[in-house]
Amino acid sequence: MTPDTSRTAMERPLRRDAERNRQRIITSAREVFRERGMDTTLDDVAHHAGLGVGTVYRRFPNKEHLVEAMFADRLEDIGRLMSESLDNPDPWQALQDFLWAAAALIAEDRGLHDVMLSTAFGHDKVAMARDKLIPLAHEMVCRAKRAGKLREDFEAEDMPMLFKMIGAAAEYTHRVAPQQWRRYAALLIDSLRAETGKPSPLPVSALDTVDVRDVMDHWCR
């Protein structure tokens, strides 16, 4: 075996190990960021992954690099979801389906919530993916208005606030009633209709007095 061949043989398993560690870090980071959002540190990720802090920092020098690796693809997935919704010939159903799908992603993933709704997190790939969502949102809103299904005073720029409200409800209740956000999402989405009529059935019952007390007791702990 020549020296070059020997060196290549030794490097290959190291590269495979490095890639396995990288994927292990990203998988663990997704789990931690989903629960804690952008308060997560690289030390938190290392602990959750069962790796040394130095291993994490060698792969990702700072949290920004990790955010780029985790969330650029997620935002592109949301863009594809919007494009697929626009293929629906029913403009109101398209908008409603997207709002529900995006609300579910945001309610169940605090990290995605933070990245999608704030430019403080993610640059380059994340920023580009986020910017691509804007014209798609405008198109969805304009189509629904032209069809007379969406109230005229709703704008595409209202979407981040809509998602923020749903995300806040999810964060407030998730320890006691993790699906409760669906009730408030239904109320919000129903309020966007241009036509008044019989309200849509709510998918989740209201919390009772004991549940509300439990939510208040567990919040911020």
Side-chain angles (χ1 to χ4, degrees):
M1 182 180 294
T2 66
D4 288 343
T5 303
S6 177
R7 187 181 303 113
T8 301
M10 293 174 64
E11 287 173 353
R12 281 174 182 159
L14 290 177
R15 285 198 294 269
R16 286 197 294 269
D17 287 346
E19 181 58 25
R20 278 196 296 269
N21 282 340
R22 185 179 185 277
Q23 292 305 317
R24 183 175 175 182
I25 292 165
I26 290 176
T27 299
S28 295
R30 288 191 192 283
E31 295 171 0
V32 181
F33 275 83
R34 182 181 297 116
E35 179 67 23
R36 305 182 193 177
M38 288 299 152
D39 289 338
T40 301
T41 67
L42 291 187
D43 287 10
D44 294 332
V45 173
H47 178 75
H48 188 76
L51 296 170
V53 175
T55 300
V56 174
Y57 277 91
R58 279 195 296 275
R59 302 278 77 80
F60 301 99
N62 54 52
K63 188 162 72 173
E64 187 63 36
H65 283 77
L66 184 54
V67 168
E68 288 280 301
M70 282 193 300
F71 290 109
D73 289 346
R74 298 294 306 281
L75 291 175
E76 288 176 0
D77 288 343
I78 291 174
R80 281 190 288 272
L81 180 63
M82 296 176 82
S83 296
E84 290 168 4
S85 296
L86 286 167
D87 290 336
N88 189 326
D90 183 334
W92 169 252
Q93 192 63 50
L95 177 62
Q96 185 176 229
D97 288 348
F98 167 70
L99 291 175
W100 271 109
L105 292 173
I106 288 172
E108 294 163 5
D109 190 332
R110 285 186 62 188
L112 181 61
H113 165 277
D114 293 350
V115 167
M116 188 172 175
L117 299 182
S118 175
T119 58
F121 310 111
H123 301 289
D124 301 330
K125 292 181 180 179
V126 165
M128 289 175 61
R130 190 192 294 118
D131 289 344
K132 289 178 182 177
L133 304 181
I134 297 173
L136 295 172
H138 278 276
E139 186 176 355
M140 296 183 79
V141 167
C142 288
R143 286 177 76 230
K145 284 185 180 180
R146 286 196 300 267
K149 300 296 184 179
L150 176 65
R151 54 188 297 167
E152 283 294 330
D153 55 357
F154 182 81
E155 304 295 344
E157 289 77 11
D158 289 319
M159 281 192 189
M161 291 302 298
L162 193 73
F163 291 137
K164 184 63 183 173
M165 287 186 280
I166 295 170
E171 181 182 355
Y172 187 52
T173 61
H174 82 281
R175 287 189 174 88
V176 174
Q179 297 301 310
Q180 195 65 26
W181 66 268
R182 295 182 179 275
R183 179 180 180 84
Y184 309 110
L187 288 168
L188 287 170
I189 294 172
D190 217 33
S191 73
L192 304 181
R193 293 179 181 272
E195 302 168 338
T196 58
K198 186 178 180 181
S200 302
L202 298 178
V204 181
S205 300
L207 298 173
D208 61 26
T209 303
V210 174
D211 290 332
V212 170
R213 174 58 64 183
D214 285 345
V215 167
M216 296 173 72
D217 286 343
H218 285 86
W219 189 48
C220 290
R221 285 188 180 179

